[in-house]
Amino acid sequence: MKRFYALITLVVAMSVSACQQKETISTNLEDTVHVTLCAGNPEVVTKTTLVEGTPYWCADDAIGVSDGNSNYKFENDAEENTALTTFSGQTTLAGKLYAYYPYSSAKQISGAKVNLDILPSQVPGINTFDSSSDIMVAKPFSLDAESKTANLQFARLGAVVKVVLTDLSGELSSDLVQSISLTSASPLAGSLPIDLAAQRIGDVVNGESSVTANYSSGYQINGSNAAWFVVLPQTIAEGESLILTVNTDKHNITKTLTAPVNGIEMLQGAVTTLNVKIVAADVPYMAYESADPMGIHWSGCNATIKVNSNIDWTVTSDNSVAVATKDADGNVNVKMPAITKFTNVVANITIAPVDQTLGIAPQ
């Protein structure tokens, strides 16, 4: 078994886009700034990460090396992260070689083809993507005959989407974001067929149309914190939609982002920023005004309970003597049918959201 050191010179650059806002979407990629993949902080993360928009190699990173039909693990030699590092491992491989990231012993490589994963459920930080979905493939390379080294050039095959929320509703100041999802008509994630020789993603089969960023402790919406996604590169054409779902510890919000004239371009190896403004109409609410306690004291009379809401709701009564219905004005009408003798009627009238995933309790 021969041991060789592959010197990794990472010339793949992630483009950080200047943003042009139209409605709530910023996707203009003009005046891009190219940055170099360099070192990160191993105390924070153990894989590739972003720090202030710059991608970093981390100390515990590992790559896979193959002759097109094998899968060898090569580990980062650095004990701390650096801009230029070496990966080493044991192999008998020779000739044309291939490298990919992130390494997985479960991957089967045949004919320089392998399936790598952009996960539908990701766990990013507020300043970085989830490195387990950060698919990168090196240009095919050969070892130097004497030194047994090689310079590798990686290409990032996924697109990075940064979603920045701004609360204009005034309702979310104390909320903690627990998860954010993007849903498209086309696949955003899944097990992707990768051509290691061509550094290219093949035709995706059974892809996932939604991708979710999950946060164990949550983060505040302040116009600066962001949700980061790695997704399958694509363009959302003019007039087509991305569905954004924001779940906080207090609210569940769904917002449709309609692509502007130039579309929403989620380009390979680039960051696309979506600046999304949450307004009052986006935040589900449902409230009622108590009825006049004397408003329904005779049999055969009606009472109205006013309801203020921007969601669809239903109404029920737990007493058949008091009939509760939703009227044409979106309020509750309570009717007391005629009775033949005096009686004291107690009824619980309940309004409840039709969509029980909105996080609004029945009242």
Side-chain angles (χ1 to χ4, degrees):
M1 302 289 281
K2 297 180 181 179
R3 179 179 176 86
F4 74 87
Y5 295 83
L7 180 63
I8 310 301
T9 304
L10 295 159
V11 299
V12 57
M14 177 175 288
S15 299
V16 180
S17 61
C19 300
Q20 179 180 358
Q21 184 171 329
K22 181 172 181 179
E23 295 178 350
T24 60
I25 303 173
S26 296
T27 57
N28 186 15
L29 297 176
E30 295 180 358
D31 300 324
T32 57
V33 177
H34 295 281
V35 297
T36 303
L37 198 64
C38 54
N41 185 346
E43 295 180 358
V44 178
V45 291
T46 57
K47 297 294 178 185
T48 55
T49 186
L50 292 174
V51 177
E52 296 182 352
T54 301
Y56 280 66
W57 278 116
C58 299
D60 289 348
D61 281 335
I63 61 173
V65 176
S66 174
D67 62 358
N69 296 289
S70 57
N71 188 20
Y72 289 85
K73 182 180 182 180
F74 276 64
E75 297 179 325
N76 192 346
D77 291 323
E79 294 182 358
E80 59 184 26
N81 303 306
T82 61
L84 184 66
T85 190
T86 61
F87 286 80
S88 62
Q90 291 183 312
T91 181
T92 58
L93 299 179
K96 188 69 70 178
L97 300 177
Y98 311 94
Y100 73 91
Y101 174 90
Y103 168 79
S104 171
S105 61
K107 297 303 177 185
Q108 299 295 319
I109 301 175
S110 177
K113 303 293 195 302
V114 64
N115 280 8
L116 300 179
D117 303 311
I118 293 180
L119 301 175
S121 180
Q122 301 178 13
V123 187
I126 60 173
N127 295 307
T128 183
F129 49 70
D130 184 343
S131 63
S132 59
S133 291
D134 184 25
I135 297 175
M136 295 192 293
V137 174
K139 287 184 178 179
F141 64 97
S142 299
L143 296 178
D144 180 83
E146 295 184 1
S147 65
K148 301 301 181 184
T149 63
N151 292 327
L152 272 64
Q153 294 180 320
F154 277 88
R156 175 169 281 106
L157 299 190
V160 179
V161 177
K162 176 185 178 183
V163 177
V164 181
L165 302 177
T166 300
D167 176 29
L168 299 182
S169 72
E171 299 291 330
L172 309 179
S173 59
S174 64
D175 285 30
L176 291 177
V177 175
Q178 297 177 328
S179 69
I180 296 183
S181 299
L182 288 175
T183 301
S184 170
S186 55
L188 293 173
S191 182
L192 310 181
I194 306 297
D195 186 331
L196 297 176
Q199 295 180 288
R200 185 175 62 221
I201 298 174
D203 294 332
V204 179
V205 178
N206 297 326
E208 301 280 350
S209 62
S210 292
V211 60
T212 301
N214 298 285
Y215 301 90
S216 58
S217 56
Y219 73 85
Q220 288 187 314
I221 299 172
N222 60 8
S224 176
N225 291 336
W228 296 82
F229 302 85
V230 179
V231 301
L232 187 64
Q234 59 194 272
T235 297
I236 308 299
E238 177 186 357
E240 295 182 349
S241 300
L242 273 176
I243 306 300
L244 178 72
T245 304
V246 181
N247 296 320
T248 77
D249 57 342
K250 299 182 180 69
H251 298 92
N252 294 330
I253 299 167
T254 298
K255 190 175 180 71
T256 300
L257 310 180
T258 302
V261 174
N262 295 327
I264 302 175
E265 293 185 321
M266 297 183 286
L267 301 180
Q268 175 185 327
V271 175
T272 298
T273 300
L274 304 179
N275 290 313
V276 180
K277 296 178 180 178
I278 304 296
V279 298
D282 297 323
V283 182
Y285 62 88
M286 182 182 70
Y288 68 92
E289 299 177 15
S290 297
D292 180 352
M294 296 300 293
I296 190 169
H297 61 287
W298 293 109
S299 64
C301 292
N302 295 336
T304 297
I305 302 173
K306 292 184 178 180
V307 177
N308 298 313
S309 180
N310 65 350
I311 63 171
D312 194 14
W313 51 269
T314 61
V315 60
T316 57
S317 169
D318 68 351
N319 190 324
S320 61
V321 175
V323 178
T325 58
K326 185 176 183 179
D327 66 21
D329 295 324
N331 297 312
V332 173
N333 178 267
V334 182
K335 182 176 177 60
M336 191 75 159
I339 53 178
T340 58
K341 63 180 181 178
F342 178 81
T343 184
N344 187 34
V345 174
V346 176
N348 292 304
I349 309 299
T350 302
I351 56 173
V354 172
D355 185 349
Q356 299 181 10
T357 68
L358 294 176
I360 297 179
Q363 300 176 32

